[in-house]
Amino acid sequence: MDEKQIAFIICTNNPQYYNECVQYIHELTVPDGYSTDIICIQEAPSMAAGYNAGMQASMAKYKVYLHQDTFIMNVNFIGDLLQVFQSDSKVGMIGVIGTTQLSKNSQIFLNWNVGNVEAYDGKQYILSNLIQNPAESFTEVEAVDGLLIATQYDVLWREDILDGWDFYDISAALEMRRLGYKVVVPYQSKPWCYHDCGVSKMKEYDKYRKKVACEYLEIGFQEETDAQEEKRRLEDIQKLEDIFQVLSGLLKIGLLNQVEIYTQKLREIWPLDTRIREMINMMEIYSMEKKEGILISEWLTKSDWNTMYEYYTWIRFVCLRVALSREDERIEELWDRIKRGKISKIAIKKISEKSCHNSAAIEKRFHI
């Protein structure tokens, strides 16, 4: 075991997000005498299995398991993490948001009540500044969100019961507490992380909720679920998939006006699908550009949805870098595209207002 190493373990299926996540890790201040390692897990069959593979591949005492869409903004993250761990040997796990009481219906995602995090859900920028006590370095909780989980003791992730992408974080916290260790959320005067999370489809949420209810009887989760509610959830997911396929098909053949009309109606309900939400945002920009009579931004002319979305995401990532006052060669590249009329200032303003806490800095940088 290397007592002076911090390993960052990331399961990834998207190179663009992974590279962005890693860039923020490389910018962290590393305390004297310590070293870092980044372990990339690809094609994991489940989050628990991927994290077990990463854990077993590392000799680092301190391990940070994080989503590929989690960007660590706090450059002193490592030092702050070590301070909490080393202040109390009973602290086994740290998260940035958590809950002091697990709900009996196990709808955990509705019950985070401790911590601080910035997020973007495809509709808007969110600051979740929850319960915090400045007088305490951390708050003990029952579970933490999986966007970032740090440990100083290795405890196996329960891939034997969780072979998907839900509840692995809740299970990990419960396993840590079963061994007598504390699970905590540190005090954060400013959020340590930005979570570019979009919205979760939760396609198999009920399936794994039942498994967790059966395994952790001491928590008293309700095992039974409303069968009709579960059926409606799956039907809604399929409807959204059908809608996305129709919209992406229209984009592929260049029928932007039809997509614009369709998404105007969808804007009234903001469906729980990240791709559709981002399509709504793109078409809103398209409408604004048409109204102003300017050249349509280059990224909107891409006929393939994946190419369009990657371009749009690139713009968002660069805007976030400006908002955080980070050096990045892509900032000049974006500015050059704006000056050449490849991307409109309307697009930059709208994107920054939607996804960043400091849109004023972005508007100033690009003379909007």
Side-chain angles (χ1 to χ4, degrees):
M1 185 68 69
D2 189 337
E3 303 276 339
K4 297 286 188 176
Q5 187 175 68
I6 302 92
F8 293 85
I9 300 171
I10 310 163
C11 289
T12 181
N13 62 357
N14 185 311
Q16 184 180 27
Y17 270 89
Y18 173 76
N19 290 334
E20 198 72 17
C21 176
V22 167
Q23 180 162 349
Y24 283 87
I25 293 173
H26 284 318
E27 293 171 344
L28 300 179
T29 300
V30 181
D32 290 344
Y34 285 85
S35 64
T36 61
D37 187 22
I38 298 174
I39 299 174
C40 174
I41 305 296
Q42 301 182 67
E43 300 182 357
S46 69
M47 192 67 89
Y51 281 168
N52 274 336
M55 180 179 70
Q56 292 160 3
S58 174
M59 292 299 293
K61 173 179 175 61
Y62 305 102
K63 296 180 176 69
V64 181
Y65 304 88
L66 71 163
H67 293 178
Q68 63 184 1
D69 57 12
T70 296
F71 309 143
I72 303 175
M73 301 183 295
N74 175 15
V75 294
N76 295 314
F77 170 78
I78 296 175
D80 290 340
L81 197 72
L82 292 174
Q83 185 175 28
V84 174
F85 277 137
Q86 294 172 1
S87 70
D88 186 342
S89 62
K90 296 297 288 183
V91 173
M93 176 179 289
I94 293 174
V96 292
I97 59 172
T99 179
T100 53
Q101 185 172 7
L102 290 165
S103 59
K104 299 308 178 185
N105 66 1
S106 62
Q107 302 292 317
I108 312 301
F109 64 98
L110 298 176
N111 291 276
W112 302 126
N113 64 350
V114 177
N116 202 358
V117 69
E118 292 184 14
Y120 172 62
D121 68 356
K123 177 185 177 183
Q124 61 192 352
Y125 163 83
I126 300 168
L127 174 60
S128 296
N129 191 356
L130 307 172
I131 296 172
Q132 294 204 99
N133 183 357
E136 300 290 340
S137 60
F138 60 77
T139 299
E140 191 168 355
V141 295
E142 292 193 345
V144 292
D145 187 280
L147 73 96
L148 183 146
I149 293 176
T151 66
Q152 68 169 328
Y153 305 112
D154 288 343
V155 177
L156 283 174
W157 299 76
R158 292 297 302 274
E159 63 179 294
D160 57 322
I161 58 171
L162 299 172
D163 56 356
W165 309 94
D166 296 298
F167 280 100
Y168 64 91
D169 45 2
I170 309 304
S171 168
L174 294 174
E175 292 293 328
M176 189 69 72
R177 291 172 57 221
R178 274 181 170 180
L179 295 175
Y181 295 114
K182 296 178 183 178
V183 177
V184 308
V185 173
Y187 172 74
Q188 302 159 73
S189 58
K190 294 181 179 180
W192 288 4
C193 297
Y194 179 100
H195 193 199
D196 196 318
C197 52
V199 287
S200 174
K201 292 182 180 179
M202 301 196 301
K203 187 174 183 179
E204 297 186 305
Y205 189 87
D206 292 307
K207 170 185 174 180
Y208 292 109
R209 189 194 63 78
K210 294 173 188 177
K211 289 191 174 186
V212 168
C214 291
E215 174 63 27
Y216 302 100
L217 297 176
E218 69 270 26
I219 301 302
F221 284 159
Q222 297 171 6
E223 181 182 348
E224 295 302 318
T225 187
D226 186 327
Q228 289 300 316
E229 181 181 345
E230 186 175 353
K231 181 181 178 182
R232 283 195 298 271
R233 192 203 302 271
L234 294 175
E235 289 175 346
D236 288 344
I237 291 171
Q238 186 57 54
K239 287 178 183 177
L240 292 178
E241 181 61 33
D242 294 342
I243 290 171
F244 171 74
Q245 291 302 328
V246 169
L247 292 174
S248 60
L250 291 172
L251 284 174
K252 190 171 185 178
I253 56 178
L255 298 178
L256 289 176
N257 288 335
Q258 282 85 341
V259 179
E260 178 188 15
I261 294 170
Y262 205 155
T263 55
Q264 283 175 344
K265 297 177 182 178
L266 291 171
R267 196 178 302 153
E268 298 174 4
I269 58 174
W270 286 98
L272 297 177
D273 185 289
T274 302
R275 300 166 302 174
I276 296 175
R277 286 188 169 196
E278 294 291 36
M279 206 174 289
I280 292 172
N281 293 329
M282 293 179 188
M283 289 301 104
E284 187 176 1
I285 292 170
Y286 173 67
S287 298
M288 295 170 69
E289 290 180 339
K290 283 202 308 178
K291 184 177 180 180
E292 293 296 320
I294 64 175
L295 184 67
I296 302 303
S297 290
E298 181 180 48
W299 54 274
L300 277 171
T301 65
K302 307 297 181 183
S303 60
D304 174 69
W305 162 253
N306 290 330
T307 303
M308 182 185 292
Y309 186 50
E310 184 177 332
Y311 198 150
Y312 176 83
T313 301
W314 180 86
I315 298 171
R316 284 203 301 104
F317 285 174
V318 178
C319 285
L320 181 60
R321 300 289 292 177
V322 176
L324 294 173
S325 301
R326 298 295 179 91
E327 295 296 325
D328 198 306
E329 61 185 15
R330 294 174 299 176
I331 296 173
E332 284 303 316
E333 184 179 350
L334 177 55
W335 177 226
D336 180 65
R337 293 185 188 185
I338 294 171
K339 289 188 293 184
R340 291 189 292 116
K342 300 294 185 181
I343 301 172
S344 73
K345 291 185 178 181
I346 288 174
I348 299 300
K349 181 177 176 61
K350 195 65 180 178
I351 289 171
S352 63
E353 289 174 345
K354 283 275 187 180
S355 61
C356 298
H357 76 289
N358 189 9
S359 60
I362 299 164
E363 292 175 17
K364 181 179 180 181
R365 176 64 182 80
F366 297 121
H367 309 293
I368 297 173

